[in-house]
Amino acid sequence: MDTSSRHGIKVHAARFTAQAMQEAVRDAFVKLAPRTMMKNPVMFVVLVGTVLTTGLSLQALAKGQPWAYTLVVALILFVTVLFANFAEAVAEARGRGQAASLRAARSQLVGRRWRNGQFEYLPAAELRPDDIVVVSANEQIPADGEIVEGVASINEAAVTGESAPVLREAGTDRSGVIAGTTVLSDEIKVRVTAQPGASFLDRMIALVEGAQRQKTPNELALTVLLAALTLVFLIVVVTLPALAQFADVKIDVVVLVALLVCLIPTTIGGLLPAIGIAGMNRALEANVIAKSGKAVELAGDIDTLLLDKTGTITLGDRRATEFIAVAGARVPDLREAALLASLSDPTPEGKSIVALAQAQGASSGDISSSTFVPFSAESRMSGVDLASGRRIRKGARSAIVAWARVGSVAVPADLDAAVDRIARGGATPLVVADDTRVLGVIALADIVKHGVRERFARLRAMGVRTVMITGDNPLTAAAIAAEAGVDDFLAEAKPEDKLARIRAEQAEGRLVAMVGDGTNDAPALAQADIGLAMNSGTQAAKEAGNMVDLDSDPTKLLSVVEIGKQLLITRGALTTFSLANDVSKYFAIIPAIFVAAIPGMAALDIMHLSGPVNAVLAALIFNAAIIPALIPLALRGVSFRPGSAESLLRRNLLLFGVGGVVLPFIAIKLIDLVLAAVFGAR
Amino acid sequence: MAEILLILALSVLLAWPLGHYLARVLKGTPSRSDALFVPIESTIYNLLRIDPRRGMSWRGYALAFLVSNALLCVFAWLVFMFQHWLPLNPDGIPGMRWDLALHTAISFITNTNQQHYSGQAQLSYLSQMVGIVSLQVLTPMMGLGIAAAILRGLFGGLNAATAQEGEERNLGNYWVDVTRLSLRVFLPLSLVLSLALTSQGVPSTFAGAQTAQPIDASAGMAEQTIPVGPVAAMVATKQLGTNGGGWYGPNSAVPLENPTPLANALEIIAIVVLPIAVVFMVGPFTGRRRLTALVFGVMATLSVVSLGLAQWSEYQPNAAVAGLAAPGPNLEGKEVRFGASGSALWAAVTTQTSNGSVNAMHDSLNPLAGTVALVNMLINSIWGGIGCGLVGHLVFLLLSIFIAGLMIGRTPEVFGRKLETGEVRLLSFLIVLQSLVILGFTALALVIPGVAANSNPGLHGIAQVFYEYTSAYANNGSGFEGLGDASYWWNLSASATLLLGRYPCLLIPLLVAGRLARKRQAPESAGSLNIESATFGATMIAVIVLITVLSYLPALVLGTVGEQLMLAGG
């Protein structure tokens, strides 16, 4: 899906503007504060190395010894730290761009509080939960809340970027409204549900700005491993002079610092925070607000997706596909009756019956003086009372049969067979009858969304099972499940069945994700490992889920899983790359350290670098430059092709493992050639 | 060459049924031999007041292991110090100094058998039999018990089917595992091998040292004392149990420990057969046959490469005598009867398996073969010691899963259980510990004047010290020698290294397994990392080589690698 065209105000607006760049560069320096640096042990060691080498160069300067080389090393180290900080700052700046556009939407909101029969104008910041505010057409909603009275169409573009208005109504699952959105028509009373500063939008902004940013569990684990590797290399470097002195080899401290910095995993250490922030930003670009980075990470681990049939797997509306006449009636009679009964029917199903009947050649006479009988939960059927006195009804089999019995109309023996045949084909049977006879059955088929089947196949290849939830009977459900290619289905499901199914899946050790919007979905959303709430849903649903989709598109869950996987793959790929890089750096620096004392070491110099000084500088320059070179990859994420774990592993290992060994050999050699050309072989 | 292949093929062939037998013994599968063993086992359980049906958590298992080790260690220490007051000392050998006795006790309780003494001259028959051999029997089985407990933990423990998430898991009973393994596996094998070695001429007597008149007067002595004793039993246990400590100072290079070509072949097979059998045990023990394929594939690949390099290296001439009219392989420090090939084979397998017995002097290996021996011990899980080799392999497995696992887009899981910060912290600690201990002590020994007391200057001197600590940490026990190692410094620093190389390396993985066992287990799907694949096997090899080489390359460059480069550079 191309989000950029639909969501004009999204992150894209903030992509690397000159101002964002400036901010990121400034932040790169701000982040040099030791307290901030301590959180990243790898880069902290580089910073300490910078200070140490700077001191050494100043000392040499004071003593009148050569100092320039040491200073250059110090400078490269400093730049390495800045690059790492810059990577994080750029990721944050992109998030902030998003936040700024969101915040603009709520500037200066004013609410009309309704109290004791009187209005009172208040700044939004002074509204408290349970206050009732009244919002009329063309006014902005001042605070998150639920409609307690009225119906309104609302433009939520300020939050979702979607300009088509949405309908919100009291007492339904679509009663939630968001601060900053605009009422287009009618007037509603809204009960405020959020504390000032803690509204949905506020939390979103806080989240995006990184105010709540904590290291996710996997990020923390990786940081621990990287810190351990750093410690190992610190031990290696610290003990090296002790070993060397036994063979009367003196090692320059500056070269030792260079060796240390080259060996510790600076590439992944520098990019790790940016990768995490970028993951959340990617979720935002897809218009999904994750309440924590952990949720995005967890999305990659999902084993089972619970998907509502309607709206997710099938188009929301069923469509008439076939007329089947029963004994004693002809298809044209049925067609004509169905058409008459549906002409005034405003539902999509009714319209589709009209369309099918007309397409098959049925025509209706004048129905202007007839009375339309709308569907009601009580009668469970709809129809028309014609001026001629003829009454036509359509509805579920049981409802029509009951109606026919009351009117002493015979029920043909082949009705059940026709009904069953339709149900087995995955469609819903709608029986049509009039005062004198039962005419036949209309098949209302669910239309499986285009491309859904392929998407499920991709998920299956990734090891994610899909379970369809539907209120349909098992026969219909099975047919649709087969057509859509889901792995399993839950038919005649009540809300509590969802919860039970989630618990059952979790008891078998699976991580479950689900989509929900209604208040009765809230327990299931809370129980699921990933609960993606629809923005159009109730406040309760949004509170219960750990992600909210601003577009209210249930298929978004599939994108969320992919974003989670991409985040983890990017982290793993860059870790592997970073470690693999060390091989070549050893081949550059080890000969440089020892070749003067132990001439045989020249054999290790397989890159044939121009000299020890250039070798060390080339390795350090590569080490620094690879960080900004990989920032785009860290922000974009490693391109993710769904496939089996085996194929993913093989591909990424070749690309980042083998590539990580080979690339720096070439790069260091090239940098050395440039250094030799400019400064001569040293 | 054909001889090497035959010996290796025989070892693998023998290890296969032995591995399945190990699994049955550890699972407590009923067998016909129960009639013989159950009464003995019951007696032991009664004596030790053990309820064999009671399972242990990782904590209980670790505690039992530590307590039994501490008691045995103190016991052996006392025996060595006071052997002159104890019976079975026909040659009137005096008691050991406290530090040497301590180092010896620790060295044998840690299944290392690093020797700062010469057995024939410094240990009584009682010390050899009670102190040395009993530890040589028990410690490999203790290591295997820990490995079994860890495997149980990785699959949720013995109560996996009934336990709730977060509930403590039953990892087996330590006393039962060690008793059954010792009685049903180790002692019968040792008995067979010691009889076979006795038949080849290895001494097996309680009589004191023999005297002989040298035929060659130029030997410059009127008569020579030839120490003997119950040697065959000790040699059998030292080879079978990845122990390696010889009766005689020069170990299996001495004809009395290793008299014939057949004895040599039997001993090589004995060195590798149990470590390989442990790998074959994994499949039937865990019910995951393909896991054996992964472990065997990774270990065998590394083993063959290491063997090949060592062979090639020893066929190169010795640099010290280069330029002779008839150049030949490097025979310095080798028994001519074993030759370059037989010695290189032994050097490779004894360092791969954490055995540490030698039939040639590793100090005199060409630098490349010396490097091979060192890298084998740094990895310490190419087969590795019985049990501990598998544990080391599992640590690399978990690390590989953590690093590579992310690349399939899931947070890393081990057999469905998530590898999280707590586990990664513990595993990371192990990596840091190894480099801290080995490099730290090496640096100290080289910096503090006089403590190393080594026989060589320059790079080879560095290699001698590095080898000693590497061997101690790997619980291998072989030496580059050439160190004045009967000093307080060497006895105490090596003792510390031995302890740190044994207990954290076995107990931390046990703790990790205990933690993993309690976690929720996700069913495996097409989206899970398939570790039993060639791709993952290659990944693991890369991780093993990378972690080892990256951490120790500078130290190796300042030792054997540097020497090799200087040879190559002329």
Side-chain angles (χ1 to χ4, degrees):
Chain A
M1 177 173 44
D2 177 20
T3 51
S4 56
S5 58
R6 286 180 53 207
H7 311 295
I9 63 157
K10 297 282 95 177
V11 173
H12 308 274
R15 181 173 283 167
F16 296 131
T17 59
Q19 195 196 346
M21 269 312 243
Q22 272 174 11
E23 263 177 50
V25 170
R26 194 197 62 217
D27 286 354
F29 283 91
V30 172
K31 285 172 189 289
L32 285 172
R35 190 188 303 222
T36 319
M37 293 298 300
M38 290 279 266
K39 288 185 192 148
N40 189 337
V42 183
M43 297 319 295
F44 184 71
V45 168
V46 183
L47 187 64
V48 171
T50 311
V51 173
L52 185 65
T53 43
T54 309
L56 285 173
S57 112
L58 292 179
Q59 192 190 24
L61 183 64
K63 287 184 183 168
Q65 292 160 345
W67 51 271
Y69 169 58
T70 314
L71 191 65
V72 169
V73 169
L75 265 175
I76 300 175
L77 298 193
F78 186 56
V79 168
T80 311
V81 177
L82 283 181
F83 280 156
N85 287 350
F86 177 70
E88 190 177 343
V90 166
E92 286 172 351
R94 294 184 79 185
R96 260 201 308 274
Q98 164 88 349
S101 60
L102 288 171
R103 195 185 279 117
R106 332 169 296 162
S107 53
Q108 308 303 316
L109 291 178
V110 174
R112 253 192 303 160
R113 187 163 68 184
W114 179 253
R115 186 177 276 182
N116 305 328
Q118 287 191 320
F119 292 127
E120 186 185 358
Y121 284 89
L122 277 182
E126 288 175 28
L127 290 170
R128 293 288 178 275
D130 292 331
D131 281 350
I132 304 288
V133 290
V134 178
V135 192
S136 305
N138 298 322
E139 289 181 344
Q140 285 190 317
I141 295 171
D144 285 9
E146 258 179 275
I147 305 180
V148 287
E149 204 181 304
V151 168
S153 64
I154 294 176
N155 181 349
E156 293 190 341
V159 178
T160 65
E162 175 64 73
S163 57
V166 293
L167 200 68
R168 296 282 178 260
E169 186 173 3
T172 67
D173 282 345
R174 298 181 306 281
S175 64
V177 291
I178 303 171
T181 57
T182 309
V183 175
L184 293 178
S185 66
D186 303 289
E187 184 174 89
I188 47 174
K189 278 190 182 155
V190 175
R191 188 173 57 81
V192 176
T193 52
Q195 288 283 355
S199 75
F200 185 64
L201 214 64
D202 288 314
R203 278 191 319 217
M204 224 169 92
I205 292 170
L207 203 72
V208 172
E209 288 184 325
Q212 293 184 352
R213 192 181 134 65
Q214 291 173 322
K215 281 185 177 150
T216 59
N218 176 261
E219 195 179 340
L220 200 62
L222 192 54
T223 307
V224 167
L225 182 69
L226 297 179
L229 291 174
T230 306
L231 197 52
V232 166
F233 291 125
L234 197 62
I235 293 168
V236 168
V237 168
V238 167
T239 54
L240 196 56
L243 270 61
Q245 58 80 32
F246 191 82
D248 296 323
V249 177
K250 280 253 181 307
I251 307 179
D252 189 16
V253 178
V254 179
V255 182
L256 276 181
V257 173
L259 177 65
L260 176 63
V261 170
C262 281
L263 291 182
I264 62 177
T266 46
T267 311
I268 181 63
L271 293 172
L272 191 57
I275 294 170
I277 301 169
M280 284 186 80
N281 284 349
R282 275 199 300 281
L284 268 174
E285 274 177 56
N287 264 2
V288 172
I289 298 175
K291 292 189 184 168
S292 67
K294 186 183 170 185
V296 178
E297 191 175 285
L298 203 58
D301 286 351
I302 291 302
D303 299 295
T304 305
L305 294 184
L306 292 193
L307 299 166
D308 278 326
K309 182 196 76 175
T310 308
T312 311
I313 295 170
T314 62
L315 295 170
D317 318 317
R318 288 186 268 236
R319 277 192 231 152
T321 52
E322 195 183 358
F323 295 107
I324 302 173
V326 290
R330 294 181 311 118
V331 173
D333 300 339
L334 170 64
R335 215 154 44 203
E336 186 219 16
L339 176 63
L340 286 170
S342 306
L343 273 173
S344 304
D345 185 346
T347 64
E349 285 90 348
K351 285 179 184 151
S352 79
I353 294 171
V354 172
L356 181 70
Q358 285 174 339
Q360 292 188 359
S363 60
S364 60
D366 177 29
I367 55 155
S368 52
S369 52
S370 56
T371 319
F372 175 65
V373 181
F375 179 88
S376 77
E378 206 176 320
S379 67
R380 292 192 295 131
M381 54 190 184
S382 65
V384 65
D385 293 347
L386 296 174
S388 62
R390 182 186 178 199
R391 296 184 303 164
I392 308 172
R393 291 290 181 272
K394 62 186 201 296
R397 193 203 75 101
S398 56
I400 296 294
V401 165
W403 184 72
R405 292 244 167 80
V406 172
S408 305
V409 174
V411 175
D414 59 347
L415 177 65
D416 282 355
V419 165
D420 275 357
R421 187 168 73 78
I422 291 169
R424 204 168 292 122
T428 306
L430 205 60
V431 181
V432 182
D434 65 11
D435 301 304
T436 57
R437 58 184 172 165
V438 174
L439 292 153
V441 194
I442 310 170
L444 286 177
D446 268 313
I447 309 298
V448 171
K449 278 189 176 175
H450 182 69
V452 162
R453 200 186 165 84
E454 291 70 27
R455 229 162 162 186
F456 290 157
R458 253 164 58 184
L459 284 168
R460 196 170 306 112
M462 289 188 271
V464 181
R465 294 168 67 247
T466 44
V467 178
M468 180 180 86
I469 312 279
T470 170
D472 290 341
N473 66 59
L475 274 181
T476 311
I480 297 171
E483 192 186 342
V486 293
D487 296 289
D488 199 0
F489 63 88
L490 191 60
E492 290 171 349
K494 296 180 287 295
E496 57 267 32
D497 294 340
K498 268 192 203 179
L499 185 59
R501 179 63 185 243
I502 291 173
R503 291 218 171 107
E505 294 274 343
Q506 286 173 336
E508 287 169 35
R510 298 197 177 90
L511 293 182
V512 185
M514 73 161 281
V515 174
D517 53 5
T519 299
N520 55 19
D521 283 333
L525 281 170
Q527 177 72 34
D529 299 284
I530 295 287
L532 178 63
M534 298 292 98
N535 189 37
S536 58
T538 59
Q539 191 68 23
K542 282 189 274 186
E543 292 291 341
N546 46 11
M547 291 191 188
V548 179
D549 178 24
L550 296 175
D551 297 336
S552 303
D553 170 13
T555 54
K556 197 65 78 58
L557 195 50
L558 312 187
S559 313
V560 168
V561 170
E562 295 193 351
I563 288 169
K565 287 198 179 293
Q566 197 184 23
L567 166 69
L568 294 171
I569 291 174
T570 307
R571 208 179 268 160
L574 292 183
T575 305
T576 306
F577 183 81
S578 189
L579 293 180
N581 277 190
D582 277 7
V583 177
S584 59
K585 294 181 205 161
Y586 259 132
F587 278 102
I589 295 190
I590 290 278
I593 294 178
F594 294 118
V595 78
I598 310 169
M601 295 287 175
L604 275 184
D605 179 22
I606 57 172
M607 283 178 276
H608 299 292
L609 302 178
S610 55
V613 170
N614 283 351
V616 170
L617 290 181
L620 279 176
I621 290 172
F622 170 79
N623 197 50
I626 193 70
I627 296 178
L630 288 174
I631 288 179
L633 183 69
L635 295 190
R636 196 181 61 231
V638 170
S639 77
F640 173 66
R641 288 192 208 142
S644 71
E646 179 79 16
S647 65
L648 277 175
L649 181 65
R650 199 174 306 133
R651 175 170 179 272
N652 289 322
L653 269 179
L654 277 176
L655 216 55
F656 296 95
V658 179
V661 173
V662 175
L663 174 79
F665 275 107
I666 301 167
I668 290 175
K669 177 69 186 171
L670 289 177
I671 297 171
D672 176 68
L673 286 176
V674 173
L675 287 176
V678 177
F679 301 106
R682 288 177 301 169
Chain B
M1 190 67 188
E3 203 179 332
I4 296 177
L5 290 179
L6 184 70
I7 290 177
L8 292 179
L10 261 176
S11 308
V12 173
L13 229 58
L14 282 171
W16 179 261
L18 189 56
H20 286 74
Y21 179 62
L22 280 175
R24 283 200 297 277
V25 170
L26 280 168
K27 285 169 118 175
T29 316
S31 83
R32 266 174 293 173
S33 58
D34 283 350
L36 172 63
F37 290 115
V38 166
I40 311 176
E41 286 161 4
S42 309
T43 316
I44 293 174
Y45 300 151
N46 282 335
L47 276 175
L48 295 174
R49 311 228 170 145
I50 288 159
D51 176 5
R53 285 155 306 180
R54 204 179 61 88
M56 291 175 167
S57 67
W58 77 265
R59 243 185 227 95
Y61 210 98
L63 196 67
F65 173 63
L66 285 175
V67 166
S68 61
N69 277 242
L71 291 176
L72 284 169
C73 183
V74 170
F75 172 74
W77 183 31
L78 295 174
V79 168
F80 299 149
M81 274 202 293
F82 302 111
Q83 56 184 355
H84 50 297
W85 295 339
L86 298 169
L88 278 177
N89 190 355
D91 297 328
I93 292 170
M96 272 185 172
R97 198 170 80 186
W98 71 269
D99 58 315
L100 181 60
L102 181 68
H103 174 262
T104 306
I106 290 176
S107 169
F108 280 82
I109 195 68
T110 55
N111 188 235
T112 311
N113 300 13
Q114 190 174 47
Q115 294 166 301
H116 288 171
Y117 66 93
S118 272
Q120 78 280 11
Q122 286 170 278
L123 285 180
S124 71
Y125 291 174
L126 183 85
S127 292
Q128 294 273 27
M129 291 166 64
V130 175
I132 301 291
V133 175
S134 64
L135 294 185
Q136 285 182 332
V137 172
L138 289 173
T139 55
M141 297 303 104
M142 290 165 170
L144 187 51
I146 299 274
I150 290 172
L151 285 177
R152 289 176 186 132
L154 291 181
F155 291 90
L158 294 172
N159 54 340
T162 53
Q164 297 296 308
E165 187 183 330
E167 194 178 325
E168 200 59 71
R169 300 305 170 99
N170 171 5
L171 303 190
N173 185 307
Y174 170 77
W175 308 105
V176 172
D177 285 341
V178 174
T179 308
R180 287 178 64 95
L181 286 170
S182 305
L183 281 178
R184 293 172 187 245
V185 181
F186 201 82
L187 288 175
L189 280 178
S190 303
L191 183 68
V192 172
L193 183 63
S194 51
L195 289 176
L197 290 175
T198 309
S199 78
Q200 294 301 301
V202 179
S204 215
T205 173
F206 283 121
Q210 309 291 303
T211 47
Q213 269 93 38
I215 301 169
D216 185 357
S218 68
M221 48 180 145
E223 63 181 22
Q224 186 185 2
T225 309
I226 299 172
V228 290
V231 180
M234 195 258 200
V235 172
T237 55
K238 91 166 183 192
Q239 303 299 30
L240 281 166
T242 57
N243 291 297
W247 186 281
Y248 299 98
N251 213 297
S252 285
V254 175
L256 289 176
E257 277 199 32
N258 191 5
T260 65
L262 179 60
N264 192 52
L266 284 176
E267 289 187 29
I268 294 180
I269 293 173
I271 288 174
V272 294
V273 72
L274 266 170
I276 298 179
V278 170
V279 175
F280 291 140
M281 173 203 85
V282 171
F285 184 62
T286 61
R288 263 181 102 107
R289 313 232 153 227
R290 287 169 57 85
L291 190 54
T292 287
L294 171 79
V295 180
F296 185 81
V298 170
M299 288 187 176
T301 307
L302 290 169
S303 173
V304 167
V305 171
S306 136
L307 272 173
L309 283 173
Q311 286 291 328
W312 181 82
S313 165
E314 289 316 289
Y315 272 106
Q316 304 309 304
N318 185 321
V321 292
L324 290 182
N330 173 19
L331 286 175
E332 181 195 317
K334 292 187 177 62
E335 291 281 290
V336 175
R337 61 203 176 105
F338 301 134
S341 175
S343 306
L345 171 65
W346 190 300
V349 296
T350 197
T351 46
Q352 285 175 7
T353 58
S354 178
N355 186 297
S357 68
V358 294
N359 75 349
M361 295 304 107
H362 288 189
D363 197 25
S364 302
L365 293 173
N366 274 335
L368 179 62
T371 308
V372 167
L374 275 164
V375 171
N376 283 345
M377 291 189 294
L378 289 169
I379 294 173
N380 205 25
S381 58
I382 312 176
W383 315 121
I386 295 171
C388 34
L390 182 63
V391 174
H393 181 89
L394 291 173
V395 169
F396 279 123
L397 176 74
L398 299 195
L399 283 171
S400 306
I401 288 178
F402 187 75
I403 293 169
L406 281 174
M407 284 194 287
I408 61 158
R410 284 178 75 97
T411 53
E413 288 167 344
V414 186
F415 306 123
R417 294 180 164 83
K418 286 215 180 303
L419 209 50
E420 290 164 307
T421 312
E423 291 78 45
V424 172
R425 185 173 290 132
L426 289 165
L427 296 171
S428 302
F429 174 77
L430 279 182
I431 312 179
V432 175
L433 184 71
Q434 188 189 27
S435 56
L436 182 65
V437 172
I438 296 179
L439 293 175
F441 273 128
T442 303
L444 283 178
L446 289 169
V447 163
I448 302 173
V451 301
N454 48 358
S455 57
N456 286 77
L459 298 186
H460 197 72
I462 298 173
Q464 286 177 321
V465 175
F466 182 59
Y467 192 105
E468 183 76 357
Y469 287 114
T470 302
S471 168
Y473 191 86
N475 290 169
N476 182 282
S478 68
F480 245 22
E481 306 306 335
L483 302 169
D485 58 12
S487 65
Y488 286 114
W489 168 266
W490 280 114
N491 284 334
L492 297 181
S493 70
S495 293
T497 310
L498 291 166
L499 292 173
L500 290 168
R502 175 76 169 179
Y503 295 99
C505 295
L506 286 177
L507 294 182
I508 287 180
L510 181 65
L511 164 58
V512 169
R515 291 174 58 113
L516 284 171
R518 291 197 295 264
K519 295 190 182 188
R520 165 159 116 170
Q521 187 198 8
E524 288 172 54
S525 71
S528 330
L529 179 64
N530 173 19
I531 61 166
E532 289 117 345
S533 69
T535 312
F536 186 78
T539 310
M540 240 188 108
I541 291 175
V543 167
I544 292 173
V545 172
L546 213 63
I547 286 187
T548 314
V549 169
L550 290 184
S551 312
Y552 297 101
L553 189 67
L556 290 168
V557 162
L558 277 174
T560 49
V561 170
E563 291 184 89
Q564 179 69 34
L565 290 173
M566 285 164 78
L567 289 184

